């Protein structure tokens, strides 16, 4: 049987990105009649897996001419591959996708991983005068080009109410964790972890403050920041904030960290911190790391004002960091976690396979 070709393409996501590679590409590689290619930002640890081809771009800065022309380079690669199905996950590749549909009849899917309108509008990394015009331009682009797409995939359930240009042509596939064997039996509860995207909007400074406050009461408390911080000004602020504290270490920060290394840090940690400061850009978000912590039975520290706090407390997966530092420390040391089964935390592989095979 002749194999069908599917390409998953991104401008900024690395080729070993967990959603593009570990979830989507790996799911399809298990089917005999599909071959998959992943196009993305280069990674220090380029994966090698049967049935999946990895094609990385030349490195570039987030704000640079090279980034502006990256979609053209991706377009050239896709023309050479001639896929039957193309999945893009950024507004920067919408026109590239539509051009492939017009020229080659490619079936095109928009995997919506972010609410770009809110993320751009409420970010501090873009000047105030440019922020909202750019956000409006991106949303207008999505709305105008949406009718040309065959299907949409939503990475967050909250997107169903946040915008509607996908109409009824969508499938919800949340960023749940990939199944893996968990061998950790005992954890050192003094080891705190903040992993994934490192930014002001994901709560890194709140995590640092919590660790500092707890360390004053218990000198065995440590904090590891594991992930990439894309904004140079934020990186500088973080380095200044942690400079006085030897018990805070960074894995990555100024470069992308392979997902396998993040998972190693999860295995070594005693608690994982999940906290999003209040913002319209993340009000309905469930962080990928929440699912990863749950799946790997890492106790979680969060707060009552988080939309997912109920999931943590109802299933005995962690503690709420509300109250004084001594109270939080007592909870951290005394709680027994994961005595109750937790449902719906794994990537829905079969659902994704069915979507591709039934739709295309």
């Amino acid at each position: 049987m002749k194999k069908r070709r599917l390409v998953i393409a991104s401008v900024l996501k690395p080729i070993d990105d967990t959603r593009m590679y570990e979830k989507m590409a790996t799911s399809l590689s298990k089917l005999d009649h599909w071959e998959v290619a992943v196009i993305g930002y280069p990674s220090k640890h380029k994966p090698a897996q049967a049935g999946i081809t990895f094609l990385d771009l030349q490195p570039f800065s987030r704000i640079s001419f090279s980034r502006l022309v990256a979609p053209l380079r991706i377009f050239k690669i896709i023309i050479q591959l001639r896929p039957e199905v193309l999945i893009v996950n950024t507004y920067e590749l919408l026109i590239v996708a539509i051009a492939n549909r017009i020229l080659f009849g490619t079936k095109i899917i928009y995997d919506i991983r972010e609410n770009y309108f809110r993320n751009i509008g409420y970010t501090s990394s873009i000047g105030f005068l440019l922020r909202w015009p750019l956000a409006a331009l991106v949303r207008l682009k999505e709305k105008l080009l949406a009718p040309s797409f065959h299907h949409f995939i939503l990475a967050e359930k909250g997107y169903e109410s946040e915008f509607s240009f996908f109409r009824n042509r969508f499938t919800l596939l949340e960023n749940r964790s990939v199944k893996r064997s968990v061998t950790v039996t005992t954890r050192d509860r003094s080891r705190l972890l903040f992993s994934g995207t490192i930014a002001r909007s994901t709560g890194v400074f709140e995590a640092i403050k919590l660790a500092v406050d707890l360390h004053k009461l218990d000198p065995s408390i440590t904090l590891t920041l594991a992930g990439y911080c894309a904004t140079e000004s934020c990186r500088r602020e973080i380095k200044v904030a942690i400079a006085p504290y030897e018990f805070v270490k960074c894995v990555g920060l100024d470069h992308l960290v392979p997902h396998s290394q993040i998972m190693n840090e999860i295995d070594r940690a005693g608690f994982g911190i999940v906290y999003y400061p209040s913002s319209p850009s993340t009000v309905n978000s469930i962080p990928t790391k929440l699912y990863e912590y749950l799946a790997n039975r890492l106790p979680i520290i969060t707060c009552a004002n988080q939309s997912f706090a109920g999931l943590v407390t109802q299933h005995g997966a962690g503690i709420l960091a509300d109250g004084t530092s001594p109270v939080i420390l007592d909870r951290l040391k005394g709680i027994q976690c994961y005595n109750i089964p937790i449902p719906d935390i794994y990537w829905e592989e079969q659902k994704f396979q069915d979507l591709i095979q039934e739709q295309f």
Side-chain angles (χ1 to χ4, degrees):
M1 178 184 295
K2 181 182 177 181
K3 288 195 174 185
R4 306 180 68 187
R5 181 171 292 166
L6 180 143
V7 169
I8 307 168
S10 181
V11 172
L12 288 178
K13 299 297 182 183
I15 54 172
D16 61 348
D17 171 72
T18 180
R19 184 173 177 90
M20 289 202 301
Y21 160 47
E22 291 187 278
K23 296 172 185 177
M24 290 186 171
T26 300
S27 296
L28 285 183
S29 71
K30 295 176 182 179
L31 304 177
D32 293 334
H33 52 287
W34 284 96
E35 59 181 31
V36 187
V38 178
I39 304 171
Y41 196 82
S43 171
K44 289 185 177 180
H45 299 272
K46 193 171 184 176
Q49 182 169 329
I52 305 176
T53 301
F54 297 94
L55 301 164
D56 48 3
L57 304 170
Q58 292 296 318
F60 54 82
S61 301
R62 291 179 73 91
I63 302 176
S64 64
F65 177 75
S66 295
R67 177 176 177 179
L68 288 177
V69 300
L72 294 177
R73 292 172 178 162
I74 292 172
F75 184 41
K76 182 179 178 180
I77 296 172
I78 295 171
I79 288 176
Q80 294 170 343
L81 294 174
R82 294 284 184 91
E84 293 182 59
V85 182
L86 171 62
I87 301 176
V88 298
N89 58 31
T90 171
Y91 63 88
E92 294 171 280
L93 293 177
L94 297 183
I95 293 176
V96 169
I98 292 171
N100 273 270
R101 175 177 181 174
I102 294 171
L103 294 173
F104 310 114
T106 309
K107 303 292 185 181
I108 55 177
I109 304 172
Y110 185 12
D111 178 30
I112 305 175
R113 298 180 57 161
E114 299 180 40
N115 184 338
Y116 289 106
F117 175 78
R118 292 191 180 186
N119 286 3
I120 295 171
Y122 292 101
T123 186
S124 59
S125 61
I126 299 175
F128 182 78
L129 293 178
L130 293 177
R131 194 180 304 169
W132 286 106
L134 179 58
L137 183 62
V138 168
R139 180 49 49 84
L140 179 63
K141 182 179 181 180
E142 290 176 321
K143 286 183 176 180
L144 291 177
L145 300 181
S148 297
F149 277 77
H150 294 93
H151 204 71
F152 298 84
I153 299 175
L154 308 186
E156 297 272 7
K157 185 173 178 57
Y159 295 166
E160 293 181 43
S161 59
E162 289 183 15
F163 46 89
S164 60
F165 58 79
F166 46 78
R167 302 297 175 95
N168 60 346
R169 295 170 294 132
F170 75 92
T171 299
L172 175 65
L173 281 166
E174 296 174 285
N175 268 323
R176 298 177 182 179
S177 178
V178 175
K179 286 186 178 180
R180 66 192 284 263
S181 58
V182 181
T183 58
V184 178
T185 55
T186 60
R187 292 184 180 274
D188 181 354
R189 295 197 169 188
S190 64
R191 296 172 64 97
L192 308 184
L193 173 67
F194 183 91
S195 66
T197 301
I198 297 179
R200 184 178 297 278
S201 61
T202 60
V204 64
F205 293 104
E206 285 79 4
I208 293 170
K209 182 181 184 305
L210 175 65
V212 169
D213 290 344
L214 295 179
H215 182 83
K216 291 176 181 178
L217 299 171
D218 182 350
S220 69
I221 295 291
T222 65
L223 172 65
T224 298
L225 306 177
Y228 176 54
C229 178
T231 308
E232 185 177 351
S233 60
C234 185
R235 288 198 296 269
R236 289 197 300 266
E237 286 185 61
I238 292 170
K239 289 176 181 179
V240 170
I242 67 175
Y245 308 115
E246 293 184 356
F247 63 90
V248 181
K249 73 169 186 175
C250 295
V251 177
L253 194 63
D254 57 359
H255 62 269
L256 293 167
V257 180
H259 190 244
S260 58
Q261 192 171 352
I262 295 289
M263 299 311 294
N264 289 338
E265 293 297 335
I266 289 176
D267 288 341
R268 285 194 285 264
F271 269 89
I273 301 172
V274 187
Y275 176 79
Y276 276 10
S278 179
S279 170
S281 65
T282 56
V283 65
N284 294 315
S285 295
I286 299 181
T288 301
K289 65 181 175 182
L290 180 75
Y291 289 121
E292 291 177 342
Y293 293 171
L294 291 170
N296 292 279
R297 303 180 69 81
L298 174 64
I300 294 166
I301 301 175
T302 190
C303 291
N305 66 352
Q306 303 293 287
S307 61
F308 45 81
L311 177 63
V312 174
T313 56
Q314 289 170 17
H315 297 284
I319 66 170
L320 299 181
D322 298 297
T324 63
S325 297
V327 170
I328 296 169
L329 185 62
D330 286 344
R331 292 173 185 166
L332 185 148
K333 297 292 186 180
I335 191 171
Q336 296 297 315
C337 296
Y338 294 104
N339 296 320
I340 305 171
I342 299 177
D344 302 327
I345 58 173
Y346 294 110
W347 166 250
E348 297 174 286
E349 179 178 90
Q350 187 65 55
K351 187 176 180 179
F352 178 65
Q353 290 174 337
D354 291 345
L355 166 66
I356 299 302
Q357 297 196 106
E358 291 172 7
Q359 292 272 346
F360 309 106

